[in-house]
Amino acid sequence: MGESTTNATVFECRECGSVSLGDSETTCCGAEMVSADATPVEHPELAVVLREVFGVSRTGLTICVCLMEAGDSTAAELADRLDLDRSTVARQLNHLVEIGLLDKRQRLLTGGGYVHVYSPVEVEEVRERLTVGLYAWVAEALDLVEEIDRRKVKALARSDGGEEAAGIYWDG
């Protein structure tokens, strides 16, 4: 992946240890928040972020790229172009609409009825939609991390720190 253009920094509260993401220092519980050393474990690639955070499969990514190249299309047109089952394409298209990569509208047919037409969303709008979605995902991930911390403390209090404590990371 290329160089990041985001200037956001991770801040940690000196008092309570809360962590915040931002582009300027803030305060928490009345204490100063200081820049924290927070190097990602691994620099993510766009395909990995789309798959892991937004649930975009390889097929979904292929469909999205095809639609961007072809312009407005129906599920049937994309299925023919990609030699995929129409129901698979429709399911993927609906997911891509749900996460904000594509728009969907109805086109009336001359013989009656309608068909859904999908179109790519402008890049800036996609960036904004994905940013909001990513922040929501991060908030949920942080809630899970907090839950792990609470469970870890409880498990350590109940055990000698051995195998039982290690199991809290892997149970369902």
Side-chain angles (χ1 to χ4, degrees):
M1 187 172 162
E3 290 293 316
S4 174
T5 58
T6 304
N7 293 325
T9 305
V10 177
F11 293 96
E12 184 175 16
C13 178
R14 289 185 180 199
E15 185 71 28
C16 69
S18 290
V19 178
S20 174
L21 180 67
D23 53 10
S24 63
E25 293 185 41
T26 58
T27 59
C28 172
C29 65
E32 179 186 8
M33 294 191 76
V34 295
S35 179
D37 182 21
T39 304
V41 175
E42 180 180 312
H43 293 286
E45 295 180 15
L46 180 58
V48 172
V49 171
L50 290 173
R51 181 181 66 240
E52 298 298 327
V53 177
F54 298 101
V56 177
S57 68
R58 182 173 301 209
T59 302
L61 197 52
T62 300
I63 291 167
C64 190
V65 169
C66 181
L67 184 67
M68 288 176 182
E69 291 171 353
D72 293 0
S73 301
T74 66
E77 292 166 344
L78 289 165
D80 288 345
R81 200 171 289 125
L82 295 169
D83 195 28
L84 293 170
D85 183 71
R86 193 186 74 70
S87 64
T88 299
V89 172
R91 188 172 45 256
Q92 294 292 325
L93 286 168
N94 286 326
H95 179 65
L96 294 167
V97 167
E98 184 179 298
I99 63 172
L101 294 178
L102 305 177
D103 281 333
K104 174 172 130 177
R105 67 179 192 287
Q106 292 179 353
R107 178 175 32 183
L108 297 175
L109 301 172
T110 55
Y114 64 90
V115 65
H116 288 117
V117 177
Y118 299 86
S119 56
V121 173
E122 292 295 323
V123 173
E124 275 305 312
E125 191 170 342
V126 167
R127 184 176 293 125
E128 289 174 17
R129 290 176 182 182
L130 292 181
T131 298
V132 169
L134 182 60
Y135 280 123
W137 182 86
V138 167
E140 289 181 27
L142 288 172
D143 287 345
L144 291 174
V145 169
E146 285 183 25
E147 179 63 23
I148 289 170
D149 288 344
R150 284 191 290 273
R151 292 178 64 204
K152 180 179 179 182
V153 169
K154 287 179 184 177
L156 289 173
R158 288 191 317 264
S159 74
D160 61 2
E163 191 173 314
E164 179 186 345
I168 66 164
Y169 295 106
W170 308 113
D171 63 7

